[in-house]
């Protein structure tokens, strides 16, 4: 308030110190706090107040000795594990591209001849018509046929020296796919109609185009349409064209034959591209191979694959070609896939407030960190020892806690060190973290084993089926236990009753047994005796027990 006065009156060049303030604009203690406060700000303040209240309750419980802080924070506490999930249950995403800053970018000239493996999802996006494309010189409308022509020309331009081009498409008709949750987020809330694509039909506007392809069936129709357009154009195209839909077909459009060596059953085109690359090398092909993709996940896997498979693998990023073999130092190539999966990729969560660069620097310097990461993706099923290694990695190298022995201890320790209490900035609870580790292990396994043509099921490996959709398993336990049974210390005073419903003389009772399960309460043969004995408590006894009971109720509410 003082600062406002100085700015508006003392230092102002437009107002005098003696100018009168209209009565309606005068501030007083009744209106100064809420004036010009927007609804979002008020909501934020309410959430902040609730957060402070929760922190106070947990602090109170810890100080009172009613519950051990580690026992409370062993559980998730909140409905979602906020370190790795948003409040709506979606995964926290990290800036994957930051990892490129830790890679060694070596640009090579375009080879005189090569084979190109093209991510068609990228080409779909790059071929979206702009305003200039839609305004055709002859005044006619821009059609689906025009879109197909632009897409084919773009592929030819990006790979002008290729002798063979392999177009790889995602499969949108699988019963189980780890991409289901990602596709759900892209879906429109509006009802999307079936779109039947023909070359002479008008191409939709940008918003309609986005909405059309929020429906998988429409994407399948576009794949079939583009395949037919490429088939019609092969006579006028120099390179050999192979069209792959992951898990369904692998057809050589130029020779009109099937390429079964390139057929694989994966959840997505990203991993299929490397299985196809391996098949090319196994066939004895020695020329460079260019992989046309701009996904960081692919760059990470390329660094690993290039180290394992002989031959030149180039990655096309915009107009430059990067050498995949030089992307990572030799000490990091065996760990980069696991590191990326653990810290957040397309199908795993990032950790709130934890960036990839910081963790990558630690792993690069530490042989122990790389040894711990080696347990990730070694086998499709994790052993208990593997889980403990990866939990230790998360505690020490992601959350910088080298002292704690358990997750509960690490969470309690972080809580006590925090000035502004926040569950979001703490390591996830044990249950949520183990499911995250299972997802990272699954992704690491399928990427490290790039020669696999059939991938194992993601179910029970960090994912589950819900209403016919494959979703990440966030947790299987409630935020807090539904009941607590424990010995609870109270003040040592002479009490004229006995909780066991037996006769007793006045004696000092150092502990009181608190039963929250119905069967424990029913153990007393005479419920009325408990009520009658309450009258023998003095006011201090009753007040103290009432306070403790309130604390328990607050804990259950949260």
């Amino acid at each position: 308030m003082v600062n406002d006065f100085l700015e508006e009156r003392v230092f102002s060049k437009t107002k005098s110190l003696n100018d009168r303030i209209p009565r309606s604009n005068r501030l007083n203690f009744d209106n100064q706090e809420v004036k010009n406060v927007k609804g979002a700000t008020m909501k934020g303040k309410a959430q902040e107040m609730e957060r402070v209240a929760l922190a106070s309750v947990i602090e109170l419980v810890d100080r009172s000795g009613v519950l051990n802080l580690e026992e409370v924070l062993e559980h998730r506490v909140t409905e979602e594990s906020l370190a790795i999930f948003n409040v709506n249950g979606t995964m926290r995403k990290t800036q994957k591209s930051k990892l490129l800053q830790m890679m060694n970018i070596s640009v090579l000239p375009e080879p005189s001849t090569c084979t190109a493996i093209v991510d068609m999802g990228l080409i779909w996006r790059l071929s979206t018509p702009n305003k200039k494309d839609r305004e055709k010189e002859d005044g006619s409308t821009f059609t689906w046929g025009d879109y197909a022509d632009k897409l084919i020309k773009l592929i030819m331009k990006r790979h002008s020296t290729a002798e063979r081009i392999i177009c790889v498409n995602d499969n949108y008709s699988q019963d189980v796919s780890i991409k289901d949750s990602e596709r759900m987020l892209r879906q429109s809330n509006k009802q999307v109609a079936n779109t039947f694509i023909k070359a002479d039909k008008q191409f939709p506007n940008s918003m309609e185009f986005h909405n059309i392809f929020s429906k998988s069936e429409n994407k399948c129709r576009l794949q079939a349409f583009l395949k037919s357009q490429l088939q019609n154009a092969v006579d006028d195209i120099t390179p050999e064209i192979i069209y792959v839909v992951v898990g369904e077909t692998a057809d050589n459009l130029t020779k009109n034959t099937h390429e079964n060596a390139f057929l694989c059953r994966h959840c997505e085109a990203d991993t299929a591209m490397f299985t196809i690359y391996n098949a090319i090398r196994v066939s004895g092909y020695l020329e460079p191979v260019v992989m046309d993709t701009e996904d960081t996940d692919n760059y990470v896997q390329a660094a690993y694959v290039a180290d394992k498979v002989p031959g030149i693998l180039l990655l096309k990023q915009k107009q430059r070609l990067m050498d995949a073999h030089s992307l990572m130092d030799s000490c990091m190539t065996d760990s980069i896939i696991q590191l990326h999966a653990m810290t957040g990729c397309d199908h795993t969560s990032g950790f709130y407030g934890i960036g990839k660069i910081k963790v990558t620097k630690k792993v690069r310097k530490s042989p122990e960190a790389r040894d711990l990461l080696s347990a990730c993706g070694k086998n499709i099923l994790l052993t208990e020892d593997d889980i403990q290694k990866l939990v230790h990695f998360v505690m020490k190298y992601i959350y910088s806690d080298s002292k704690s022995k358990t997750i509960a201890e690490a969470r309690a320790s972080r809580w006590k060190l925090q000035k502004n209490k926040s569950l979001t900035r703490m390591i996830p609870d044990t249950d949520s973290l183990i499911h995250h580790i299972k997802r990272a292990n699954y992704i690491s396994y399928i990427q490290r084993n790039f020669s696999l043509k059939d991938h194992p099921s993601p179910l029970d490996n960090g994912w589950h089926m819900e209403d016919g959709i494959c979703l990440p398993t966030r947790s299987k336990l409630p935020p807090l236990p539904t009941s607590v049974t424990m010995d609870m210390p109270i003040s040592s005073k002479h009490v004229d009753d006995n909780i066991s419903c037996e006769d007793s003389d006045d004696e000092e009772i150092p502990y009181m047994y608190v039963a929250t399960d119905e069967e424990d309460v029913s153990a007393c043969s005479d419920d009325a005796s408990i009520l009658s004995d309450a009258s023998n408590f003095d006011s201090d006894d009753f007040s103290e027990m009432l306070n403790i009971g309130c604390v328990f109720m607050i804990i259950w509410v949260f």
Side-chain angles (χ1 to χ4, degrees):
M1 192 171 181
V2 174
N3 290 335
D4 292 342
F5 173 76
L6 291 175
E7 290 178 3
E8 294 179 6
R9 294 293 175 167
V10 178
F11 304 121
S12 176
K13 295 181 180 180
T14 59
K15 290 185 178 181
S16 168
L17 184 64
N18 298 320
D19 284 351
R20 295 177 62 85
I21 301 176
R23 183 181 295 274
S24 60
N25 293 340
R26 293 176 186 173
L27 294 179
N28 53 52
F29 289 108
D30 182 55
N31 64 17
Q32 63 172 325
E33 292 297 328
V34 298
K35 189 175 179 65
N36 294 328
V37 177
K38 297 181 179 179
T41 304
M42 292 293 286
K43 182 179 180 180
K45 288 182 178 294
Q47 292 173 343
E48 174 68 13
M49 186 176 294
E50 290 178 353
R51 184 189 66 78
V52 172
L54 172 60
S56 300
V57 169
I58 295 177
E59 287 290 306
L60 176 62
V61 170
D62 184 43
R63 289 197 302 268
S64 67
V66 173
L67 286 178
N68 184 281
L69 183 59
E70 288 185 23
E71 293 177 352
V72 175
L73 296 180
E74 170 70 23
H75 304 279
R76 196 167 65 252
V77 182
T78 51
E79 189 65 29
E80 299 289 345
S81 182
L82 297 177
I84 53 177
F85 287 97
N86 299 306
V87 293
N88 62 354
T90 57
M91 291 184 182
R92 285 199 181 276
K93 291 303 179 180
T94 186
Q95 288 184 288
K96 298 188 304 178
S97 59
K98 289 286 185 180
L99 193 58
L100 293 177
Q101 299 177 22
M102 302 298 295
M103 292 183 173
N104 307 314
I105 307 299
S106 176
V107 179
L108 297 181
E110 189 168 354
S112 58
T113 185
C114 66
T115 288
I117 303 175
V118 180
D119 178 4
M120 288 300 286
L122 170 66
I123 301 301
W124 284 9
R125 179 171 57 82
L126 295 179
S127 301
T128 304
N130 54 34
K131 185 178 180 180
K132 184 178 179 180
D133 293 327
R134 293 175 183 275
E135 295 174 353
K136 298 171 65 175
E137 293 181 359
D138 59 3
S140 60
T141 59
F142 190 87
T143 64
W144 282 103
D146 295 324
Y147 172 76
D149 290 341
K150 181 180 179 180
L151 181 142
I152 294 170
K153 290 177 182 177
L154 178 65
I155 294 174
M156 297 301 111
K157 181 179 179 181
R158 290 174 70 89
H159 304 286
S160 58
T161 63
E163 60 181 336
R164 176 172 51 176
I165 298 176
I166 304 172
C167 303
V168 185
N169 296 265
D170 273 315
N171 188 326
Y172 295 102
S173 59
Q174 291 176 320
D175 293 332
V176 178
S177 174
I178 57 177
K179 299 193 76 171
D180 281 354
S181 58
E182 177 186 340
R183 290 166 183 165
M184 282 179 61
L185 293 176
R186 296 176 181 173
Q187 286 180 355
S188 172
N189 293 327
K190 298 179 181 179
Q191 187 71 23
V192 179
N194 290 318
T195 300
F196 298 93
I197 301 170
K198 295 182 180 179
D200 57 352
K201 287 186 65 175
Q202 182 176 351
F203 192 83
N205 61 41
S206 298
M207 182 175 294
E208 291 172 343
F209 183 68
H210 175 78
N211 290 337
I212 284 173
F213 293 108
S214 62
K215 188 169 186 175
S216 296
E217 290 84 349
N218 291 333
K219 291 182 180 180
C220 293
R221 295 187 188 98
L222 178 60
Q223 287 177 344
F225 171 73
L226 293 176
K227 181 179 180 179
S228 65
Q229 295 298 104
L230 279 166
Q231 182 76 69
N232 296 335
V234 291
D235 292 338
D236 301 323
I237 295 175
T238 302
E240 186 178 310
I241 302 296
I242 299 175
Y243 198 81
V244 177
V245 176
V246 176
E248 290 187 359
T249 59
D251 297 327
N252 189 316
L253 303 184
T254 304
K255 297 180 178 180
N256 200 25
T257 59
H258 298 298
E259 297 284 352
N260 292 330
F262 299 152
L263 187 60
C264 52
R265 293 172 180 82
H266 293 188
C267 287
E268 57 179 349
D270 289 355
T271 54
M273 293 171 74
F274 291 96
T275 303
I276 292 170
Y277 171 72
N278 183 66
I280 291 172
R281 293 305 187 198
V282 169
S283 70
Y285 186 79
L286 301 177
E287 299 297 333
V289 174
V290 176
M291 196 166 287
D292 195 352
T293 176
E294 294 186 358
D295 192 334
T296 304
D297 287 22
N298 287 349
Y299 296 164
V300 167
Q301 189 175 2
Y304 177 84
V305 173
D307 188 64
K308 307 300 178 187
V309 180
I312 299 175
L313 175 59
L314 302 176
L315 299 170
K316 189 170 185 66
Q317 186 191 48
K318 299 187 186 301
Q319 302 303 319
R320 64 181 183 178
L321 292 174
M322 302 185 297
D323 180 14
H325 188 75
S326 63
L327 284 176
M328 298 302 300
D329 300 334
S330 57
C331 66
M332 287 292 291
T333 52
D334 285 338
S335 304
I336 187 61
I337 287 178
Q338 303 94 307
L339 171 63
H340 186 51
M342 286 291 290
T343 55
C345 62
D346 279 351
H347 306 296
T348 62
S349 308
F351 293 91
Y352 182 86
I354 308 293
K356 283 184 174 288
I357 293 179
K358 179 180 177 181
V359 181
T360 304
K361 288 179 178 178
K362 290 181 181 180
V363 173
R364 179 174 285 172
K365 293 178 181 179
S366 173
E368 182 198 30
R370 297 194 294 272
D371 179 63
L372 293 173
L373 278 174
S374 66
C376 188
K378 182 172 59 177
N379 298 298
I380 189 61
L381 296 178
L382 286 163
T383 64
E384 187 62 32
D385 183 58
D386 293 335
I387 292 175
Q388 290 306 315
K389 283 184 177 180
L390 294 172
V391 167
H392 182 57
F393 173 81
V394 174
M395 287 196 296
K396 185 172 182 178
Y397 293 99
I398 293 182
Y399 283 93
S400 304
D401 186 343
S402 57
K403 296 181 180 180
S404 300
K405 302 299 181 184
T406 65
I407 292 177
E409 183 181 348
R411 282 166 65 83
S413 175
R414 176 62 68 96
W415 179 270
K416 292 175 181 178
L417 290 174
Q418 286 178 336
K419 183 178 179 181
N420 296 319
K421 305 299 184 184
S422 171
L423 292 169
T424 305
R425 294 186 176 276
M426 290 164 50
I427 184 173
D429 62 285
T430 303
D431 183 47
S432 301
L433 181 58
I434 287 177
H435 291 300
H436 171 81
I437 288 173
K438 286 183 177 181
R439 283 188 292 277
N441 180 74
Y442 179 83
I443 296 300
S444 298
Y445 178 81
I446 63 176
Q447 291 189 1
R448 292 174 68 179
N449 294 277
F450 52 84
S451 62
L452 286 177
K453 289 194 171 185
D454 293 318
H455 279 174
S457 172
L459 302 181
D460 296 325
N461 288 307
W463 284 268
H464 69 282
M465 293 298 290
E466 185 175 321
D467 297 330
I469 300 173
C470 182
L471 297 176
T473 303
R474 305 193 296 276
S475 59
K476 290 187 176 180
L477 299 177
L480 283 171
T482 54
S483 63
V484 179
T485 303
M486 62 178 294
D487 286 338
M488 182 176 67
I490 63 172
S491 175
S492 298
K493 294 186 178 181
H494 292 281
V495 181
D496 263 345
D497 88 325
N498 193 312
I499 299 302
S500 64
C501 304
E502 297 177 357
D503 295 335
S504 68
D505 298 324
D506 289 352
E507 58 180 335
E508 188 173 356
I509 302 177
Y511 286 90
M512 173 183 172
Y513 184 74
V514 177
T516 58
D517 293 328
E518 291 182 4
E519 61 269 24
D520 292 334
V521 174
S522 63
C524 294
S525 59
D526 188 2
D527 293 343
S529 66
I530 299 178
L531 297 176
S532 63
D533 286 337
S535 62
N536 296 328
F537 277 59
D538 61 29
S539 59
D540 291 338
D541 287 318
F542 185 80
S543 177
E544 182 172 1
M545 289 189 65
L546 183 61
N547 289 336
I548 291 172
C550 289
V551 170
F552 265 100
M553 290 179 66
I554 294 171
I555 289 295
W556 290 336
V557 169
F558 280 101

